[in-house]
Structures are given as C-alpha cells and as structure tokens.
Amino acid sequence: MNNGNKMKVRHVIVKCGADMYLPFAIVFGLAVILFGTVSPGGGFQGGVIASSAAILLYLGYGFKTMKAAINPHLMHKGEAFGAIAYIALATIGLVAGGNFVRNAIWNNGDPGKVISAGTITYMSWAVGFKVLTGVAFLLMLLISLLGDNQDEM
Amino acid sequence: MKKVAILLALVIFLGAGIGAVTNLKENFAVTYNAQEVGTDAYELYKDYVSYESDKNPDEKAEGERNLPENPDGIASIIVTTDLSETESINDVAPIVFDYRGYDTMGESFILLTAIAGSFIILKNMKGREEEADDE
C-alpha cells in the first residue's frame, strides 16, 4: 500500500500544529500510563491523552490518512483484549485466596519503582491500553460519519 | 468436545481456588479489617467532629487550620497501612485498583458497552444512508 497517494495536506498551520503536538501526545500519554502507579495520573487519563493523537492526525491529514495509519478493527479487538486482561489479572487474587481484585503478587520489586505493587501496575496498564484503543476507535467511528467530502476542504 | 473442555477448565479452576483458599489464607495480608483495627464506622459517624480534628471547632482560634494531630478515621488507616499491605507508595493507585477494583471494572465496562453500542447503531445508520442513495 502506497501511503503517499493518500497523503492530502490541508492548511499548513494546522498541519504543522498537528506535526508538532502528535509525538508529545503519544509519548506523554504512554508515560502517564506506564508511571500510573507511582505518579499522579493513571491508566484512564493516560489512555485518553494518547488517543488524542488520532484526532490530531485527522486535523492535520484528513480521514483517509488517519484510516491508513490506524486500523479500526485492531483498535476494537485491542479494547476487548484490555478488558479480558483486567478480568484475568483480577482473577489472580481470587485464585491466590483473597478477594476478586485483591493485590495477589504484592511483594515484587522495591516500593517506588515502576514494577512494584504487584497486580496494581499491570491492571493500570490494562486499563490504559483499553481506554487508549477504545477512545481512538470511538473517535474514528464518529469522524467517519462526517463523510468523505471533508477531505476536500 | 467444547463442553468437555469448558467443564475441565472449570474443574481445574475450582480445584485451584479451593486449594488456595485452604492453604494460603492464613499467610495472606488482609487489606482492611475493621474488627482487627478497632475502628467502628458507626461511632465515627455519630461523633463526626472528632473524625478530622482533635479540637472542637468552637474552641479553636480564628484562622487556625483544622489539622488533626491523631487522626483515627478510615482514611488515615488506609494511608498509614497502605505501604505495608500493597507496597505502593502512591496511595491513590491501590484505592482505584485494589480497594475499589470493582468500581474501576464497572467504569471500564461502561466504556466498552458504550463504544460497542454506538458502533452497532452508527454502522447501521451509515448502511441505511447508502441504501437510500441507491434508491
């Protein structure tokens, strides 16, 4: 697939703004997800920040480029995978003899490091992945209803 | 074949759960047990002035901050015993993912349900528009 034919440059200021802020949105969102256990923020907030890259891509390059860059079916499957991962990590507490969402492997790593606090870290990552893919899919779904003539602007 | 596999998985899961409950329960740190800690939530509710502060609001000087010297509420128990029970230095993360994990699960499944429902509705709407264009 040649993406060069699908690239349609819109207003140069909007395109430069999207180019400038898209890497920051992705990196900052992923950092908020990864350090959600030891810093302010968390999975939900970081997922929403990272999924704002999708709308920046639409503002800069239009819907066809956005659809070529992000696979919507993969996003939909990724959301289900995140939900299943959360349930599976919550079930570890049940198998280990506690409550359903009990922090089972709680004594791994040193307190304050990224990988510590047992399943809390992994559950935070699962929720972050789920929200990232889910909100990106929702934005693509809503933008696709605007019609293809939006690319002509 | 599929039913046999599901039944086998359920039996293995049940056996692992029963074994874990019988063997591991004594060595497992309880997240919050009000009877062991000795805090009665109903007593705190009746005497809510002493929940946040040691001082009576009528006796403190004007402009003085109402900081407790010996807080005894459930929040202070969570803050003081959080590190020894979950080893997380951020107190909010275990509240979101451990103490109130069901809440987070429901929250994220609301998002999943909303996105799946809007996907079904909007997909049908787009198909209907295309059918109308054909006619």
Side-chain angles (χ1 to χ4, degrees):
Chain A
M1 182 185 292
N2 189 9
N3 288 335
N5 293 333
K6 296 191 175 186
M7 200 85 80
K8 185 165 283 188
V9 177
R10 311 178 101 194
H11 295 294
V12 71
I13 294 175
V14 179
K15 181 186 162 296
C16 287
D19 281 344
M20 191 186 292
Y21 289 113
L22 200 139
F24 286 109
I26 294 174
V27 171
F28 180 58
L30 290 180
V32 169
I33 291 174
L34 286 178
F35 293 91
T37 322
V38 293
S39 71
F44 220 93
Q45 295 84 356
V48 174
I49 292 169
S51 66
S52 70
I55 204 127
L56 282 174
L57 204 60
Y58 169 70
L59 288 175
Y61 293 96
F63 179 66
K64 282 185 178 176
T65 312
M66 177 188 171
K67 202 173 179 182
I70 305 169
N71 189 358
H73 297 289
L74 205 63
M75 293 284 123
H76 204 44
K77 285 171 187 167
E79 190 188 10
F81 176 75
I84 292 170
Y86 186 89
I87 297 294
L89 287 168
T91 316
I92 290 175
L94 199 66
V95 173
N99 295 328
F100 178 57
V101 285
R102 179 74 178 89
N103 187 6
I105 38 172
W106 55 281
N107 50 359
N108 64 336
D110 298 327
K113 297 289 169 57
V114 175
I115 295 185
S116 65
T119 53
I120 289 175
T121 309
Y122 306 122
M123 282 158 83
S124 175
W125 292 353
V127 169
F129 183 71
K130 185 188 172 304
V131 173
L132 161 66
T133 52
V135 176
F137 178 73
L138 185 65
L139 289 173
M140 290 193 67
L141 191 67
L142 293 177
I143 288 168
S144 70
L145 286 177
L146 292 175
D148 293 331
N149 54 355
Q150 293 291 319
D151 286 330
E152 311 282 328
M153 277 174 67
Chain B
M1 187 63 199
K2 203 175 174 184
K3 283 181 182 176
V4 171
I6 291 172
L7 198 66
L8 197 66
L10 282 176
V11 166
I12 290 171
F13 188 74
L14 192 66
I18 289 172
V21 167
T22 51
N23 292 325
L24 295 176
K25 193 160 189 189
E26 281 123 24
N27 304 325
F28 215 61
V30 180
T31 307
Y32 174 69
N33 193 349
Q35 289 176 338
E36 287 183 1
V37 175
T39 299
D40 193 354
Y42 183 61
E43 293 289 328
L44 281 173
Y45 176 71
K46 282 196 293 187
D47 190 14
Y48 59 88
V49 176
S50 70
Y51 182 79
E52 288 287 335
S53 171
D54 289 328
K55 286 186 178 179
N56 199 326
D58 299 332
E59 293 173 359
K60 71 184 171 101
E62 189 166 347
E64 188 181 357
R65 293 186 68 190
N66 207 1
L67 290 177
E69 292 175 6
N70 297 309
D72 55 353
I74 294 169
S76 78
I77 293 167
I78 287 175
V79 168
T80 49
T81 63
D82 171 58
L83 194 60
S84 61
E85 284 172 354
T86 63
E87 291 202 351
S88 171
I89 59 164
N90 189 358
D91 290 335
V92 179
I95 286 173
V96 172
F97 293 107
D98 190 348
Y99 293 93
R100 292 186 67 84
Y102 284 105
D103 191 44
T104 308
M105 189 180 75
E107 230 169 58
S108 54
F109 270 78
I110 282 173
L111 187 68
L112 180 70
T113 315
I115 289 171
S118 59
F119 176 57
I120 291 167
I121 292 171
L122 297 178
K123 197 177 72 175
N124 288 340
M125 200 165 78
K126 208 178 174 188
R128 235 175 267 155
E129 279 180 1
E130 285 170 0
E131 285 176 7
D133 289 342
D134 291 339
E135 289 171 358

